[in-house]
Amino acid sequence: LIVCFSWLAHASAVSLDGSWQYREGMSPATDTGVPVWLHTVGKNDPNWKTFDFPQPPALSGETPFVWLTTVVPDAKLRSPMLFFNTTEESFRVYLDDMMIYRYGNLTYKRFSYGSVWHLVPLPAWCGGHRLTFEMYSSHPQRLGKFDRMVLDESASQIRLLLGYDIPCIAALPIAILLCILVAVYSLRRKIQDSLYAFVELFLFLFSVWLFATSSMKEFLWNQPAFWRTLALMIAYTLPIVANLILHSVLEKEVRRWIRWIIAGYIVLWVIAVFGEAAGLGSLDGCLSALYIMLAVLQIPAFWLLWRSAQRGNAYSRSLLVAASGLPILGVYDGITGHFHILSWTTNLLPLGVVTFVFFILHLVNSDAERERHLMKQTATLALQVAVAEEKSEIDPLTKCFNRGKLNSALE
């Protein structure tokens, strides 16, 4: 469904990939307030440098301002609309020398500009005209980057927006259902087990993260900085809780290695959260370290789980799919969406909740099977007690009550 929906959404899309130009710094303005640099682009000005979009430009990091420009392809669209996503950036969009869209104030903002999608309507005659972005970001690693950009008919862009949300829309009810299932089961059975507590916490946080990273949340409450901060804080917390689940499943003699892994994630969490509180923007700045740690630290964690499964640990065996699938999907999304090593952006981690289904079902079924076994043993013991009492009070030859029955009756 995701592949088909994405293909339909891109059927008439126009690619903006190719040769773009960029220039760092702030532009002086004319007497009428029009930036001077808008009139110098495309005129062999050596200050404008080329780069291949969608790869980001090679910025020096000396200024929080950058200009990006390209020529709109002549696609003969009836109602062209530009769709793109930005993170921690404010900007203005110009068509030739006319400003057609703006987001933010091109100045420092204490709680950032968040992660926002934009739909910018363009005139039907935009083909062949110059499209220019004046951008600002207090995060050097985010400046001049778009998570995705597509030019298409306005109706197709709406479908595309919904298509990007399909992984979150599909995964959110599954995560909520699993969380409710585990919570209700543990409460009804009065199970006080750290494993259940960590599983419930992970599923709850994962559900909130799914909503915070989707486009739906902006229809509920349009506060991109809040949702961005919430999503990042949960992103740093999820590996800690996930490894606490592994810690509860593994044998005691190997748990010390998982504790070292958890300690590494906790240190990163403290640096990111307290650095963000100090205004350093470390929630976004530490993301590279988070993806690297996921790629490195989860390998020994998975190996410990694999060895435990080989020794006959059924819980470890049922957790293998989730322990491998979630980190792989998370790292792959980081490669495409954060490091921009590939030319496309993916959002596959939400679908990782499916890898958790088998473990949850095994967890609930194992406890139910254990409870049925205990009930069967209890019934067997009760029968044995009843038979023993009968033998102690009835004579096996005459089938009459004996002295034991008389004594119990007198008592």
Side-chain angles (χ1 to χ4, degrees):
L1 286 175
I2 293 172
V3 171
C4 292
F5 201 99
S6 300
W7 181 82
L8 288 174
H10 285 84
S12 60
V14 178
S15 174
L16 293 173
D17 297 355
S19 180
W20 284 47
Q21 291 180 295
Y22 74 96
R23 183 173 180 177
E24 297 182 78
M26 294 183 64
S27 171
T30 63
D31 295 337
T32 58
V34 178
V36 174
W37 289 0
L38 288 174
H39 301 291
T40 64
V41 62
K43 297 181 179 179
N44 297 322
D45 188 334
N47 293 311
W48 287 93
K49 304 174 184 178
T50 60
F51 72 100
D52 291 327
F53 186 84
Q55 294 299 321
L59 303 179
S60 64
E62 298 176 355
T63 174
F65 296 92
V66 69
W67 291 70
L68 308 179
T69 185
T70 188
V71 175
V72 180
D74 190 7
K76 308 298 183 183
L77 299 175
R78 289 174 295 179
S79 56
M81 180 173 285
L82 189 65
F83 169 82
F84 57 94
N85 188 280
T86 59
T87 302
E88 311 292 359
E89 292 175 300
S90 62
F91 58 91
R92 296 171 183 168
V93 183
Y94 299 89
L95 189 62
D96 293 334
D97 59 354
M98 177 179 63
M99 186 172 68
I100 60 173
Y101 186 83
R102 66 182 297 166
Y103 174 72
N105 298 316
L106 299 182
T107 57
Y108 174 76
K109 189 176 181 180
R110 176 66 178 83
F111 292 103
S112 80
Y113 289 97
S115 180
V116 190
W117 52 266
H118 309 271
L119 290 172
V120 182
L122 300 176
W125 47 263
C126 65
H129 291 261
R130 185 162 292 279
L131 184 69
T132 306
F133 295 83
E134 179 186 8
M135 311 187 75
Y136 166 86
S137 178
S138 57
H139 301 269
Q141 69 275 15
R142 286 293 179 183
L143 183 60
K145 294 180 180 179
F146 299 96
D147 292 337
R148 45 188 174 248
M149 179 177 289
V150 178
L151 176 63
D152 205 343
E153 297 284 356
S154 56
S156 298
Q157 296 290 41
I158 301 299
R159 291 197 299 268
L160 180 63
L161 178 61
L162 296 176
Y164 280 128
D165 254 7
I166 284 181
C168 292
I169 295 173
L172 185 57
I174 298 176
I176 294 175
L177 181 61
L178 291 177
C179 185
I180 294 174
L181 174 65
V182 175
V184 170
Y185 185 82
S186 61
L187 289 174
R188 289 190 61 185
R189 303 296 183 183
K190 297 180 180 180
I191 300 174
Q192 297 180 350
D193 190 342
S194 60
L195 176 58
Y196 275 87
F198 293 140
V199 170
E200 290 173 29
L201 179 59
F202 180 86
L203 290 172
F204 172 76
L205 291 175
F206 197 79
S207 301
V208 177
W209 177 83
L210 285 172
F211 187 79
T213 55
S214 70
S215 301
M216 299 181 293
K217 88 274 187 178
E218 295 184 28
F219 296 105
L220 177 67
W221 191 33
N222 189 18
Q223 293 293 330
F226 168 79
W227 293 116
R228 172 70 176 171
T229 302
L230 178 63
L232 286 176
M233 290 186 66
I234 294 177
Y236 286 98
T237 307
L238 283 175
I240 299 174
V241 182
N243 282 283
L244 285 172
I245 296 175
L246 298 186
H247 185 272
S248 301
V249 165
L250 291 173
E251 296 80 5
K252 292 183 179 180
E253 58 269 19
V254 298
R255 288 180 178 177
R256 66 182 184 276
W257 302 110
I258 297 295
R259 285 195 289 268
W260 281 108
I261 294 175
I262 294 172
Y265 285 118
I266 291 176
V267 170
L268 182 63
W269 188 95
V270 170
I271 294 173
V273 172
F274 284 91
E276 185 73 19
L280 302 177
S282 53
L283 275 178
D284 195 76
C286 292
L287 272 178
S288 298
L290 177 62
Y291 286 119
I292 293 172
M293 289 177 68
L294 278 174
V296 174
L297 295 184
Q298 293 312 123
I299 294 176
F302 178 79
W303 182 79
L304 292 172
L305 197 68
W306 175 266
R307 291 293 302 274
S308 176
Q310 287 184 323
R311 290 192 292 268
N313 189 328
Y315 287 102
S316 297
R317 188 182 303 112
S318 63
L319 196 55
L320 284 173
V321 177
S324 58
L326 286 171
I328 290 174
L329 294 176
V331 171
Y332 184 77
D333 283 351
I335 290 174
T336 60
H338 179 74
F339 295 106
H340 297 280
I341 295 176
L342 302 177
S343 60
W344 58 85
T345 300
T346 60
N347 187 27
L348 299 179
L349 182 57
L351 301 178
V353 70
V354 179
T355 66
F356 223 72
V357 172
F358 180 68
F359 173 68
I360 299 298
L361 294 179
H362 178 268
L363 183 66
V364 173
N365 184 65
S366 296
D367 282 340
E369 190 67 32
R370 188 185 302 110
E371 185 175 348
R372 287 194 294 268
H373 181 67
L374 290 175
M375 291 177 63
K376 184 177 180 180
Q377 284 187 326
T378 302
T380 302
L381 289 174
L383 179 62
Q384 291 176 350
V385 169
V387 171
E389 289 180 352
E390 182 179 349
K391 287 182 178 180
S392 66
E393 295 178 351
I394 298 178
D395 182 76
L397 180 62
T398 63
K399 305 300 181 182
C400 297
F401 292 125
N402 57 18
R403 183 178 293 275
K405 178 64 176 179
L406 176 62
N407 292 337
S408 63
L410 292 175
E411 292 175 357

